[in-house]
Amino acid sequence: MADSNDQGGVASAADVTFRTEGLTRVYRTGETQVKALDGVDVVLLTGQLTVLLGPSGSGKSTLLNILGGLDHASAGRVWFRDTELTRLSDRALTRYRRDHVGFVFQFYNLVPSLTARENVRLVTDIAADPMSAEEALERVGLLARMDHFPGQLSGGEQQRVAIARAIAKRPGVLLCDEPTGALDSKTGVQVLEVLDQINRETGTTTAVITHNAMIRRMAHRVLHFSDGRLVREEVNDHRLAPHEIDW
Ligand SMILES: Nc1ncnc2c1ncn2[C@@H]1O[C@H](COP(=O)(O)OP(=O)(O)OP(=O)(O)O)[C@@H](O)[C@H]1O
């Protein structure tokens, strides 16, 4: 049975959170030039969990960084809802990132001298309409550990704190670059369960980069990249919860 959130085929403008047109990113280092993205046309649909797959160096992180306002396109255009990101000043792009984007990276980037709750408060203190740090930690199942320091938490727990920090400002989008890359498979599944649950409960448009092709089973849509190009798209009519996937 198709999930109610599934949207195959043509999407209306209201359903589209990100759209790119001819997105190209060239990195120049001295004499060498690398085309990390080579004319990518892609949409990310509102409320969906999209998985980005592809070999190392295929451009997945570059795409995520440009969507999140951390990097600039060399050519082509990118829209977030009605706003063309590729026309924003650096200052406006920073505001966009602060107001709308939650990031989760492979390494958790927590401040070691602050507790879980204090790490989340770094974000809630400057956000316009945040949830409380306690609510964010409850959503990732770590309320009982909120006064623990990162060094007192396992890798999977630290990643869940990083997810709490990312969602506490109620971002429109959650961009995750290899969120389970540093975790063993059992702990990785717990982290994916948290991402899946947040997507279902809050409707946050979510993108997850991974090397693990099995993760595609939990996605609404899967985008396959190769050599800086989008080479294939899949719509998943039969999503599985992470714990149902045969790892
Ligand atoms: N800041 C940079 N300067 C120079 N080259 C870069 C830079 N960032 C990325 N690249 C190059 O662009 C290409 C695409 O990199 P990207 O990190 O987007 O790929 P990826 O698919 O995310 O790879 P991985 O799965 O290994 O993270 C690679 O050849 C990479 O070396």
Side-chain angles (χ1 to χ4, degrees), residues 27-29 34-36 54-63 177-178 209 211:
Y27 292 109
R28 288 188 183 81
T29 319
V34 177
K35 212 173 226 186
S56 185
S58 58
K60 307 178 299 290
S61 298
T62 303
L63 174 63
D177 195 343
E178 292 273 1
I209 289 181
H211 277 119

Side-chain angles (χ1 to χ4, degrees), residues 95-108:
R95 202 175 319 122
Y96 153 73
R97 215 167 46 224
R98 195 190 57 205
D99 291 346
H100 298 291
V101 188
F103 287 103
V104 177
F105 296 104
Q106 179 172 0
F107 300 104
Y108 331 115

Side-chain angles (χ1 to χ4, degrees), residues 12-209:
S12 76
D15 299 329
V16 174
T17 292
F18 286 113
R19 182 161 67 87
T20 75
E21 223 178 67
L23 178 60
T24 299
R25 178 59 163 115
V26 180
Y27 292 109
R28 288 188 183 81
T29 319
E31 299 284 283
T32 45
Q33 184 166 302
V34 177
K35 212 173 226 186
L37 292 174
D38 187 6
V40 172
D41 298 339
V42 75
V43 292
L44 260 62
L45 298 180
T46 303
Q48 289 201 342
L49 190 151
T50 303
V51 161
L52 281 60
L53 280 177
S56 185
S58 58
K60 307 178 299 290
S61 298
T62 303
L63 174 63
L64 214 71
N65 289 342
I66 293 175
L67 296 181
L70 290 175
D71 195 2
H72 291 92
S74 305
R77 303 169 79 184
V78 180
W79 288 265
F80 167 72
R81 299 177 183 155
D82 293 332
T83 302
E84 187 180 342
L85 298 182
T86 30
R87 292 175 71 96
L88 295 184
S89 64
D90 282 347
R91 198 186 163 93
L93 205 59
T94 299
R95 202 175 319 122
Y96 153 73
R97 215 167 46 224
R98 195 190 57 205
D99 291 346
H100 298 291
V101 188
F103 287 103
V104 177
F105 296 104
Q106 179 172 0
F107 300 104
Y108 331 115
N109 303 322
L110 301 176
V111 180
S113 59
L114 300 179
T115 64
R117 176 165 37 181
E118 289 164 346
N119 266 282
V120 177
R121 278 196 183 145
L122 288 177
V123 171
T124 57
D125 282 350
I126 57 167
D129 176 32
M131 59 181 85
S132 66
E134 291 79 5
E135 181 186 343
L137 286 163
E138 187 169 20
R139 282 187 177 275
V140 301
L142 282 179
L143 196 56
R145 309 297 296 273
M146 66 185 178
D147 292 321
H148 289 228
F149 292 92
Q152 299 170 317
L153 299 171
S154 70
E157 288 165 347
Q158 290 184 56
Q159 188 61 299
R160 280 149 62 196
V161 175
I163 294 170
R165 183 181 56 185
I167 61 163
K169 63 181 173 185
R170 305 182 201 278
V173 295
L174 185 59
L175 304 180
C176 311
D177 195 343
E178 292 273 1
T180 61
L183 302 172
D184 64 69
S185 60
K186 184 162 168 272
T187 313
V189 170
Q190 290 168 359
V191 165
L192 294 172
E193 290 283 358
V194 166
L195 292 175
D196 186 51
Q197 173 205 325
I198 287 163
N199 172 255
R200 287 175 195 273
E201 289 178 3
T202 67
T204 306
T205 303
T206 303
V208 180
I209 289 181

